[in-house]
């Protein structure tokens, strides 16, 4: 029997020993590169401040987030390492970013002007990463504009070119397309250097690029997903030595018997085909466990799979435990993770939702407490 350890109704457990092991596995794949640990979106749901401390503790050189608020949270937690902002920002945010020493991206004349206005000449220069769109078609300067923009940043009295970056669209899935992207980046860097511009730290690969091969000229890589022990779908059968860090667990709030033909939950979407036992768990779409799991998916209890039955409510869901004898209020239910040799992965949950593992952990809301195991 699993003895309940948590005082909470439902919670996220994060195994920091797994994160440290994942950092080692990533370093083996990119031994020459610095690591930029991507902790955006609350570290993909794992808890950004705690994960950031663990990453820095094992020597990860830099961090990256998506928004200024995310970067400020890390600064307020006392993190001094360089923090890159991976997405463009607005005028007010630019001032905050400059004040907090976050490193924004620039990709066109407007973004450069905005950053120049927020980092007045005379103070420390604001480090900026020039983002080049080599084929993702999302953010970044066209390669043919990159040299001129880099020159503007390098000449600026208030900005410094801290790095030059790009992002791959289909690493591991379409190697020919990725090679075109890498070639465009290499040519852009060559033109910058032959114009006398130092591109700064060069970084191109996220998890997909790290797993699919090396971008040899890059000085750093930007892993997110793999830090958390997860893999892109195309790499699912690779042996890389990553271990998932996140588990999602709950305790039963109610265990009760129902006769055959009884209805369960909003919309009466499930009727018991025979007499059974039901457990109600205190986790629902308000916690990031979406309604698409109505009559769709499983949880583990006593090392066995028990189906989710009926609708998922904002704050709870119901599980048919008729097939698992002896469940008590002390039994932990596992929605993601391992129990007595059985396992539910973020990938299995993603399949039930027709999405990807990234979205499954990132969806987990702040109201679920995070319990950090083996954190420093
Ligand atoms: C999110 C993100 C990453 C991390 O990607 P993973 O696939 O999670 O490793 C890296 N770079 C940029 C620009 C990103 O937006």
């Amino acid at each position: 029997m699993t003895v309940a350890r948590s005082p909470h109704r439902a919670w996220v457990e994060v195994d920091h020993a797994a994160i440290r092991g994942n950092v080692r596995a990533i370093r083996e794949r990119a031994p020459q590169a610095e690591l930029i640990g991507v902790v955006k979106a609350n570290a993909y749901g794992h808890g950004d401040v705690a994960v950031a401390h663990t990453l820095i503790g094992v020597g990860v050189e830099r961090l990256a987030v998506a928004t200024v608020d995310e970067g400020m949270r890390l600064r307020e937690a006392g993190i001094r390492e360089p923090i890159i902002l991976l997405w463009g920002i607005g005028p007010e945010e630019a001032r905050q970013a400059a004040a907090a020493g976050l490193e924004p991206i620039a990709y066109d004349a407007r973004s450069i002007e905005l950053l120049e206005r927020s980092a007045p000449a005379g103070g420390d220069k604001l480090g900026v990463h020039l983002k080049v769109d080599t084929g993702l078609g999302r953010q970044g300067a066209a390669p043919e504009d990159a040299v001129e923009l880099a020159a503007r940043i390098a000449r600026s009295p208030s900005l410094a070119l801290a790095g030059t970056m790009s992002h791959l669209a289909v690493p591991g899935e379409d190697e020919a397309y990725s090679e075109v992207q890498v070639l465009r980046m290499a040519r852009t860097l060559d033109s910058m250097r032959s114009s006398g511009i130092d591109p700064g730290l060069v970084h191109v690969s996220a998890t997909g690029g790290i797993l699919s091969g090396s971008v040899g000229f890059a000085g750093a890589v930007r892993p997110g997903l793999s830090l958390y022990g997860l893999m892109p779908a195309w790499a699912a059968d690779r042996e890389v030595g990553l271990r998932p860090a996140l588990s999602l667990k709950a305790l039963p709030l109610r265990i009760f018997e129902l006769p055959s033909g009884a209805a369960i939950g909003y919309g009466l979407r499930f009727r018991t085909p025979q007499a059974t036992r039901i457990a109600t768990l205190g986790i629902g779409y308000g916690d990031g466990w979406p309604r698409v799991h109505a009559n769709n998916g499983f949880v583990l209890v006593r090392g066995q799979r028990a189906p989710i039955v009926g609708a998922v409510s904002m704050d709870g869901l119901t599980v048919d435990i008729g097939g698992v004898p002896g469940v008590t209020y002390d039994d932990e239910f596992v929605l993601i993770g391992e129990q007595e040799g059985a396992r539910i992965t973020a990938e299995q949950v993603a399949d039930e939702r027709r999405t990807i593992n990234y979205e499954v952990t990132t969806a987990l809301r702040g109201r679920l407490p995070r319990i950090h195991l083996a954190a420093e």
Side-chain angles (χ1 to χ4, degrees):
M1 189 173 93
T2 318
V3 177
R5 278 174 295 155
S6 169
H8 303 289
R9 65 201 245 290
W11 67 98
V12 170
E13 267 176 30
V14 180
D15 178 355
H16 287 250
I19 295 175
R20 287 190 287 273
N22 297 334
V23 169
R24 282 193 294 277
I26 295 164
R27 281 229 194 262
E28 278 173 26
R29 301 228 139 213
Q32 314 300 334
E34 280 189 21
L35 295 190
I36 301 168
V38 179
V39 294
K40 61 191 177 185
N42 198 24
Y44 295 39
H46 294 65
D48 51 7
V49 169
V51 168
H53 281 302
T54 290
L55 296 179
I56 290 164
V58 288
V60 168
E61 288 86 357
R62 292 155 198 271
L63 300 172
V65 294
T67 70
V68 173
D69 282 351
E70 291 174 345
M72 306 264 283
R73 269 174 57 78
L74 299 179
R75 284 283 181 260
E76 278 155 21
I79 286 162
R80 304 261 160 275
E81 277 65 19
I83 299 173
I84 302 172
L85 299 171
L86 297 171
W87 281 83
I89 54 182
E92 178 55 30
E93 290 174 321
R95 275 183 286 277
Q96 293 177 320
L102 308 172
E103 298 182 354
I105 59 166
Y107 42 90
D108 58 11
R110 177 182 172 272
S111 59
I112 293 174
E113 279 157 25
L114 204 132
L115 295 172
E116 276 187 319
R117 276 204 301 278
S118 354
D124 282 346
K125 286 196 173 186
L126 175 63
V128 171
H129 294 252
L130 177 65
K131 192 160 189 176
V132 185
D133 183 358
T134 54
L136 180 58
R138 189 176 72 177
Q139 267 200 128
E144 55 272 23
D145 299 334
V147 177
E148 193 194 316
L149 294 169
R152 267 190 77 167
I153 296 167
R155 278 199 311 266
S156 166
S158 53
L159 306 179
L161 188 59
T164 303
M165 63 183 287
S166 190
H167 199 35
L168 303 176
V170 277
E173 294 174 288
D174 184 339
E175 288 307 336
Y177 194 90
S178 303
E179 275 170 32
V180 170
Q181 285 199 267
V182 169
L183 189 65
R184 285 184 185 142
M185 186 65 170
R187 287 205 185 117
T188 303
L189 294 167
D190 281 349
S191 323
M192 285 169 67
R193 291 195 178 101
S194 56
S195 309
I197 301 162
D198 176 359
L201 186 68
V202 173
H203 44 109
V204 177
S205 294
T207 293
I210 296 166
L211 295 179
S212 65
S214 66
V215 180
F217 54 75
V221 294
R222 296 188 307 266
L225 192 71
S226 47
L227 294 174
Y228 310 106
L230 303 177
M231 304 260 265
W234 61 265
D237 53 2
R238 298 256 187 120
E239 273 306 321
V240 184
L242 300 175
R243 190 150 64 86
L246 181 142
S247 305
L248 177 61
K249 300 183 177 178
L251 288 171
L253 302 178
R254 183 185 178 210
I255 296 173
F256 60 108
E257 316 271 341
L258 281 181
S260 176
I264 294 179
Y266 285 128
L268 313 180
R269 293 176 68 173
F270 186 83
R271 284 198 186 258
T272 53
Q274 70 239 348
T276 192
R277 287 177 96 205
I278 302 293
T280 306
L281 307 183
I283 177 168
Y285 63 82
D287 302 285
W289 192 264
R291 291 181 72 248
V292 68
H293 282 294
N295 297 327
N296 172 27
F298 294 87
V299 306
L300 299 175
V301 59
R302 300 193 147 225
Q304 294 178 60
R305 277 160 38 122
I308 298 170
V309 291
V312 174
S313 307
M314 187 182 294
D315 315 301
L317 55 77
T318 30
V319 175
D320 186 343
I321 53 169
V324 189
V327 175
T328 75
Y329 284 94
D330 289 331
D331 280 306
E332 280 183 3
F333 286 64
V334 172
L335 293 92
I336 300 173
E338 282 191 32
Q339 190 182 59
E340 297 174 27
R343 184 143 62 131
I344 296 176
T345 64
E347 290 72 23
Q348 287 165 350
V349 173
D351 286 345
E352 289 158 5
R353 297 181 194 174
R354 298 180 182 280
T355 183
I356 54 176
N357 50 7
Y358 289 80
E359 192 177 5
V360 171
T361 64
T362 303
L364 297 171
R365 300 275 168 81
R367 89 170 183 185
L368 285 168
R370 266 61 175 177
I371 300 195
H372 295 286
L373 307 175
E376 273 160 15

